[in-house]
Amino acid sequence: MNRLKPAFARLNKLPRVALIVIGLFLALGSFAPWLAPQDPSAQNLLETGLGPTAAHWLGTDHLGRDTLSRLIIAANTSLVSVGSVLIIAMTVGVAMGTIAGYHRGWVDDLLMRIVDVGLSIPSLITALAVIGIVGPGYWTMVLALSLAWWPMSGRISRAVAVSIMSKPHIEALRVLGASPWRIYFGHLLPGTIGAVMVYATADAGTAALAVATLSFLGLGIQPPTPEWGQMLVDALPYLESDPRQVILPGLALTAAVIGFNILGESIALNRIPKPLSRRTLALRRIEVAGWAKENSDA
Amino acid sequence: MIHFISKRLRHSLVLLFMASLVCFTLVVSAPGNVAVLIAELRGAVATPGYVEKVAEEIGLHKPLLMRYAGWLGDAVRGDFGISYRTGQEVSADLPKRMLVTGTLIVGSAVVATLLGLALGFLGAFWPYRLPDRVSRGLALLGASTPTFFVGALMIYGFSVTFQLFPSFGFGGPESWVLPWVTVAVLPAAVLSRVVRVGLEEAMASPFVLTAKSKGLGRTAILFRDALPNIIPVFINALGTQVGLMTATAIIVEPLFAWQGVGDYFLQGVKFRDFMVVQACLLIFLAFFIVVNLIVDLAVLMTDPRVRRQWS
Amino acid sequence: MHDEPLLNVSNLTVDLLTAKAAVRPVDGVSYTVRQGECLAIVGESGSGKTVMNFAPLGLMPTGVTTNLSGSVRFDGRELIGLPESEIRKVRGKSIGFIFQDPMSALNPVRRVGRQIAEMAELHLKMTPRAAEERALELIKLVGISDPAARLRQFPHELSGGLRQRIVIAIALAGEPKLLIADEPTTALDVTVQAQILRLLKDLQRRLNMAMVLITHDMGVVAGAADNIVVMYAARAAERGPVDKVLVTPRHPYTRGLINAIPRREDPIGSEFRGLPGIPPTLGAPFKGCAFAPRCELAIPACTASRPPLARSADSAVVVACAVVNQRKAAA
């Protein structure tokens, strides 16, 4: 319990909006099959393009499927894909980064050059190029996005690994004759994974965006599995008559991304002091007022 | 100065060479028998004889190095081979497509720069006050809204509801407005933060204290002292964003029915037309390299400290 | 100007409120500077000497809220309570500033000529061309060779000494009555320090300006100043004419400072006579004398109440030490 305390303290400092949005996304994504009120792929051609009704809270799409259920299931699709992408990308990135940070020398140079090239090409283009060569499909999408994503975690974990390796206690371990395996698995890897996890979480919004974009382009998640980007492109031909079906999935995706972006922004360091909030200013003024009295008494 | 430019040019050439290698290996390493794939794409039955004919036709039996040299030589001359799918020259309407994508990217870059500067300055003028919060909120929204959703909203708002601008086609300037704005939203959001944070950082540096001690007002200090300091940073960020616009073009061009390179690339990916994918990828990579070169030279022009290092 | 000194600071207290804490770096300090006079303010880093001069003129970093009380009268005008827009008119025009680090005080991406000329445009209402002329004059005045070429250069192309001369030229461009120099020689090479100090002293005499010289270097004080204020932990410990204070320091802190200067007759290898202990960190004001914990004369009464500044035997010098002042009374 005591070990959890700092984690909670850190959680408390994060913006509440971000926590709520991300929590909602995680909850909906994890328990979607139980939360969705109706079967997301049940078609009813008699009830197409409905507005909100008691039976369909957010209406139905052009095939008469319940939009709310589809939105909820889409959260699950998104969460699973994003999770897989990030886990694969992080595993590769951390492995490459720690090896580079442990070995330095030409291994480091080579890996970081590859990372540089990877980072300089937009991830969508990398992913599309891979899909274009291998052919579309769910796992192609996940692999393609992982390929586009690992350089980022590779660079971060290399930086963390280098700083860990230069710490005195690692030097001491080496002098004492600890095996490279022990240093690598016992000290370097755990330290790096922790730091990279934080960045990966903040990056989840961009990954969700990429999944949705690929699905929007018809190269990611294929119908009938609901996914926000794919729902949007599905409804696009009916934009004029039924804009709701375009706007709802767009809003859901935007909200999720906003949550992660706020989180990322709050993690990024801000070195410039902000002006005092009204509350701290008042507190300080009271503090100072106490001094003045003390002095005049003396 | 001359030394730097020549060194930088050589660097760019090396990068171009590496980019061509990447494009070539990507296609060569494609899984499955390419000849079978092409035969099928052409709608023929993949009999062993026909497959063999196709393999011969596209030079599959030659050594890799020869194939690379031949391909590169043709590519430099603007010949990207024959589309596996249509059997036509890949480069047939490439110039026209590059013009379309060029129009999209240049226009969007201008819109993004203007919007980003305006929003960023709004925040820097009244830091932590209402205009700053509005600018910050808009930036967060702009950076979080998926581009295809922005595009859909634009079409719905300005084309369907108010019928101000056409929603598709590459016609006159009025047909450019919606795609430009759609592509510009995300870069504008990012650039506005670059401007806002950059100005705040510059305003916290010691030379601003000197400027204050001169009796200059806040506005004068912002424009005379802080602004010149963030220009190199801004150019760098703009360069990155312009590079990313190629990716956005892939989303936006099909949405507005523009026949640009992005659209071409997407078609190539969808139909696994390797030659098209390869050609577009090479164009994109070359574009990044050129943009980076221009950015470096522009930074050299605007930052006397960098200039000093290289002169 | 009647008989009033150019700058009259009385009972100035500055509180700085930041997100982390509230501190009082200046606590009831008074001093005056007359036209053509040079006042040295001496103290260790963190004794509040810079804040004391910059805060009343609105020159504080962002993220800090400043609370001022007491009085700062400059040229017959009360500065405390003036709105920022009014104080701004005083800065640069009537008061010139010189900063500690010439490396960071100049804008790195602007030509030094522009940085000087904009002062003349702003305060002397000159056209840009006339201002350039004025910049050239100023740059000659501060003794820079090849002035026309220097104007077109960027700060990083100049040496530290040259940069400090540029900063001085900027400070002089508005034809100020008072020059506030914050450790003008600290960041410079030893050989350049003397040059810059001589230049400052010379300019002050020729232009008949008043000058406040903030420093921690007793050597600088002896050569340049007429009067001196010794600061310790936000308060003035001793104040008086330089020749009297330096020759017969009365406050134990001043004595310690002067004693710490290496002397020629010291045998080589002799121990450095520093002050024992470390200066207190700034925070809430002290009860009693702030120097008491490090003082060899301290008596229990020292920690009870703050010692007032009182006239010493020589009426020109005031000292804030209960023990010293008591002895004088007894004598």
Side-chain angles (χ1 to χ4, degrees), chain C residues 134-153:
Chain C
R134 169 92 180 128
L136 194 66
E137 273 169 41
L138 282 164
I139 218 164
K140 284 180 193 157
L141 185 70
V142 295
I144 293 178
S145 57
D146 197 6
R150 296 289 181 231
L151 284 181
R152 285 192 303 275
Q153 284 184 301

Side-chain angles (χ1 to χ4, degrees), chain A residues 64-134:
Chain A
R65 296 174 292 194
D66 180 48
T67 302
L68 178 64
S69 307
R70 287 175 60 76
L71 283 177
I72 292 174
I73 297 292
N76 172 266
T77 319
S78 189
L79 183 68
V80 172
S81 335
V82 169
S84 328
V85 169
L86 287 183
I87 287 172
I88 297 174
M90 253 172 58
T91 312
V92 177
V94 168
M96 297 293 179
T98 45
I99 290 172
Y102 183 87
H103 269 284
R104 309 303 294 273
W106 67 270
V107 181
D108 190 16
D109 285 345
L110 179 71
L111 285 175
M112 285 308 115
R113 197 55 53 84
I114 295 173
V115 162
D116 282 342
V117 172
L119 282 178
S120 66
I121 304 173
S123 47
L124 184 66
I125 289 183
T126 311
L128 281 179
V130 172
I131 294 172
I133 300 304
V134 183

Side-chain angles (χ1 to χ4, degrees), chain B residues 130-143:
Chain B
L130 186 68
D132 187 24
R133 276 188 225 150
V134 170
S135 133
R136 204 188 153 97
L138 285 177
L140 182 64
L141 204 63

Side-chain angles (χ1 to χ4, degrees), chain C residues 7-52:
Chain C
L7 177 70
N8 189 351
V9 176
S10 66
N11 203 18
L12 175 67
T13 297
V14 182
D15 291 321
L16 297 182
L17 317 177
T18 67
K20 288 203 186 89
V23 293
R24 176 167 288 179
V26 182
D27 191 2
V29 180
S30 308
Y31 57 87
T32 58
V33 189
R34 289 172 188 281
Q35 197 179 359
E37 242 181 31
C38 175
L39 170 78
I41 296 176
V42 182
E44 288 159 282
S45 37
S47 59
K49 52 194 195 301
T50 302
V51 173
M52 180 162 76

Side-chain angles (χ1 to χ4, degrees), chain C:
Chain C
M1 287 300 105
H2 320 293
D3 216 19
E4 202 185 348
L6 184 65
L7 177 70
N8 189 351
V9 176
S10 66
N11 203 18
L12 175 67
T13 297
V14 182
D15 291 321
L16 297 182
L17 317 177
T18 67
K20 288 203 186 89
V23 293
R24 176 167 288 179
V26 182
D27 191 2
V29 180
S30 308
Y31 57 87
T32 58
V33 189
R34 289 172 188 281
Q35 197 179 359
E37 242 181 31
C38 175
L39 170 78
I41 296 176
V42 182
E44 288 159 282
S45 37
S47 59
K49 52 194 195 301
T50 302
V51 173
M52 180 162 76
N53 286 282
F54 282 10
L57 291 154
L59 288 179
M60 293 309 286
T62 49
V64 177
T65 305
T66 318
N67 255 3
L68 299 163
S69 67
S71 152
V72 176
R73 290 183 70 79
F74 173 75
D75 209 4
R77 199 157 166 224
E78 178 61 53
L79 293 185
I80 289 183
L82 274 189
E84 162 68 18
S85 57
E86 287 297 309
I87 292 182
R88 205 175 84 203
K89 289 178 191 156
V90 177
R91 287 199 302 257
K93 171 90 189 109
S94 312
I95 303 180
F97 294 87
I98 296 163
F99 298 92
Q100 179 169 355
D101 186 6
M103 306 289 163
S104 58
L106 294 170
N107 194 329
V109 300
R110 299 180 67 202
R111 293 176 199 280
V112 295
R114 281 312 310 157
Q115 298 191 47
I116 303 172
E118 82 178 348
M119 281 288 279
E121 284 170 40
L122 185 69
H123 296 300
L124 308 178
K125 304 278 175 280
M126 284 183 172
T127 60
R129 180 161 300 178
E132 294 285 340
E133 293 287 313
R134 169 92 180 128
L136 194 66
E137 273 169 41
L138 282 164
I139 218 164
K140 284 180 193 157
L141 185 70
V142 295
I144 293 178
S145 57
D146 197 6
R150 296 289 181 231
L151 284 181
R152 285 192 303 275
Q153 284 184 301
F154 289 98
H156 61 263
E157 297 169 329
L158 305 173
S159 69
L162 277 181
R163 276 189 244 188
Q164 193 61 304
R165 284 172 196 264
I166 301 285
V167 173
I168 294 172
I170 291 175
L172 295 177
E175 297 175 348
K177 294 176 177 158
L178 171 69
L179 210 53
I180 296 181
D182 180 17
E183 308 237 14
T185 59
T186 308
L188 303 175
D189 288 345
V190 183
T191 46
V192 184
Q193 285 187 358
Q195 290 174 20
I196 294 292
L197 199 64
R198 227 176 307 132
L199 173 71
L200 272 177
K201 196 60 207 158
D202 178 51
L203 287 169
Q204 186 226 335
R205 289 215 183 97
R206 267 163 62 193
L207 305 174
N208 197 24
M209 291 180 297
M211 179 153 84
V212 173
L213 187 61
I214 303 164
T215 180
H216 61 256
D217 186 344
M218 280 294 183
V220 168
V221 177
D226 305 306
N227 293 308
I228 180 171
V229 177
V230 180
M231 296 275 295
Y232 185 78
R235 292 170 188 165
E238 186 164 357
R239 192 182 73 217
V242 163
D243 43 2
K244 299 215 165 103
V245 173
L246 290 195
V247 174
T248 47
R250 288 171 177 81
H251 195 283
Y253 176 62
T254 322
R255 242 185 284 165
L257 275 185
I258 290 170
N259 205 26
I261 304 170
R263 278 176 231 132
R264 191 174 297 177
E265 61 269 24
D266 285 344
I268 292 167
S270 65
E271 214 173 304
F272 175 71
R273 297 172 304 270
L275 281 164
I278 48 162
T281 48
L282 286 177
F286 286 89
K287 210 168 156 56
C289 176
F291 189 61
R294 298 170 74 185
C295 183
E296 46 186 22
L297 302 178
I299 53 171
C302 287
T303 51
S305 67
R306 180 180 169 181
L309 268 174
R311 296 255 167 241
S312 64
D314 185 329
S315 64
V317 181
V318 287
V319 182
C321 176
V323 181
V324 169
N325 286 330
Q326 218 164 20
R327 266 192 221 156
K328 177 204 73 183

